[in-house]
Amino acid sequence: MAAIEETGFELLEHPPYSPDLAPSDFYLFPRLKEHLRGNKFEDNSEVMAAVEAFWEGQDKDFFSKGIMGLEKRYTKCINLQGDYVEK
């Protein structure tokens, strides 16, 4: 929390479960699922290796796009007075 305050970021409250506002749900996991689609894995270790390879293969712009998309979704959510934001 101290680091957040030091950077000057403002914390915004949102509902405890908002898949349309969680970067992992609207940005990260859909791209991971797309990457893994059609693959067959022999065991959990193969799945874990494929997931790790996917994350490690992404450059910083990949993650920046997800964070930048969050601002647009927050704005939509505010304009919809908290209603569900799809795309």
Side-chain angles (χ1 to χ4, degrees), residues 8-32:
F9 285 107
E10 177 184 354
L11 291 177
L12 301 174
E13 292 188 28
H14 62 84
Y17 180 72
S18 299
D20 47 341
L21 298 178
S24 58
D25 289 342
F26 81 81
Y27 184 74
L28 298 175
F29 292 152
R31 279 143 187 91
L32 174 62

Side-chain angles (χ1 to χ4, degrees), residues 1-86:
M1 292 303 296
I4 291 172
E5 289 176 14
E6 287 175 17
T7 62
F9 285 107
E10 177 184 354
L11 291 177
L12 301 174
E13 292 188 28
H14 62 84
Y17 180 72
S18 299
D20 47 341
L21 298 178
S24 58
D25 289 342
F26 81 81
Y27 184 74
L28 298 175
F29 292 152
R31 279 143 187 91
L32 174 62
K33 288 188 331 187
E34 182 180 315
H35 174 75
L36 297 176
R37 186 175 290 124
N39 291 307
K40 299 205 186 260
F41 301 100
E42 294 293 321
D43 55 31
N44 286 342
S45 64
E46 285 187 14
V47 176
M48 291 168 42
V51 169
E52 287 178 16
F54 174 76
W55 296 132
E56 290 172 2
Q58 303 308 313
D59 61 16
K60 66 181 181 178
D61 290 334
F62 171 83
F63 298 100
S64 292
K65 286 179 186 177
I67 297 301
M68 297 309 291
L70 188 57
E71 179 182 3
K72 182 179 175 182
R73 285 178 170 267
Y74 261 82
T75 301
K76 277 186 174 181
C77 185
I78 290 167
N79 291 338
L80 294 170
Q81 299 179 335
D83 202 4
Y84 185 73
V85 177
E86 289 189 26

